[in-house]
Amino acid sequence: MKPGRLRWLLAALTVVLLAGAVVYAGIAIAGYQSRATATGESTPRPTLPAGQLLVFRDTSPGAHYGEVASVPLADPSAKRTDTGLLCDRVYATHENLMCLHTDTGTHTSFQATLYDAGGDRLRSWPLPGFPSRTRISSDSSLVAQTSFVTGSSYGTAGFSTQTTISAVNGIDYGNLEAFQLLVDGRKITGDREIWGVTFASDDNTFFATAMSGGRIWLVRGNLRARALVAVKDGAECPSLSPDGTRVAYKKNISTTAVKHWTLAVLDFATGVEKELPIPSSVSVDDQAEWLDDGTLLYGLADPKAPGNSTVYAVKADGSAPPRVFLEHAWSPSVVR
């Protein structure tokens, strides 16, 4: 074969091989992206519609199970808008969205990820265990998250939690177990657990649950002073009303070692606690959310359908029994 013809054939073969490599690479990349999306490796940009919303974790069976979704606050029966973002717990305001999520793979890990209103990821925190609670302050300046270090339920003996508060601008206040804890003026120096933060409107005051030596308190926190002060016994997972005059919480009413929670509301001005008319057959292991100043929302798992849950609404003054607010939903947050 003549040298010129041989060079031409080699050049042609090279072009064919390069073209094949490009096509193969394109197919491989497309296949990878498809698998990444299916397994949650590719993170979507979770943007929310404008207006007043209920943001929640979708527990309806099907392709959107576990995703963050929303419905208009005025019409929860409307078609829900899913974001594609998978979360175990979620909380949102007009400015931010906080997602606590489990990442499976070779090694299971847990993360807290904060997004802005445009769906861009701002920050991410590693969590030591299964996600539990999260809240953002009403002005979107502070964010809190609680996760289990050991255990996966507040009804489990010997559970341990970690709760941190961070400013959206990056200041980290750290683990709340490092804060000073005062009960009846006495400093508690032994082991303690802190969980379930709810923020006041001054970017300094918050409420949470503290436990030490088998006792549980509702505590008022002071970020700048790095201090917690007990204000009431036996109140867990508090939620401050929008007007700041009351706090809702779950309350253990069981007389046995097995916990059974109902919801109650404490009026700060009068000191009067009102237990809400939750059916005695139901145990509410959730941090309630205020729909407005007169109504609370909370989630209940469906015992007949594992993985499914329903959001209920109940009057904060106890004047009416609970009603179904949104089926196939969990971890509600109200975007006003």
Side-chain angles (χ1 to χ4, degrees), residues 46-71:
T47 56
L48 298 173
Q52 296 187 333
L53 304 169
L54 182 75
V55 178
F56 55 94
R57 181 178 188 261
D58 192 337
T59 63
S60 57
H64 297 294
Y65 181 85
E67 292 182 9
V68 175
S70 67
V71 291

Side-chain angles (χ1 to χ4, degrees), residues 111-191:
Q111 296 282 329
T113 304
L114 180 68
Y115 297 87
D116 66 15
D120 291 323
R121 181 168 136 171
L122 296 178
R123 299 181 62 193
S124 188
W125 297 262
L127 300 175
F130 192 76
S132 174
R133 309 283 190 241
T134 186
R135 282 293 190 269
I136 304 173
S137 61
S138 59
D139 67 353
S140 301
S141 64
L142 297 169
V143 60
Q145 57 277 326
T146 297
S147 58
F148 288 100
V149 177
T150 59
S152 59
S153 167
Y154 295 101
T156 303
F159 74 86
S160 176
T161 61
Q162 176 179 289
T163 298
T164 63
I165 293 178
S166 301
V168 171
N169 67 8
I171 299 172
D172 187 0
Y173 293 94
N175 192 334
L176 298 188
E177 290 179 20
F179 283 31
Q180 181 185 75
L181 173 60
L182 296 175
V183 178
D184 297 327
R186 181 172 59 90
K187 185 184 297 185
I188 303 297
T189 58
D191 291 340

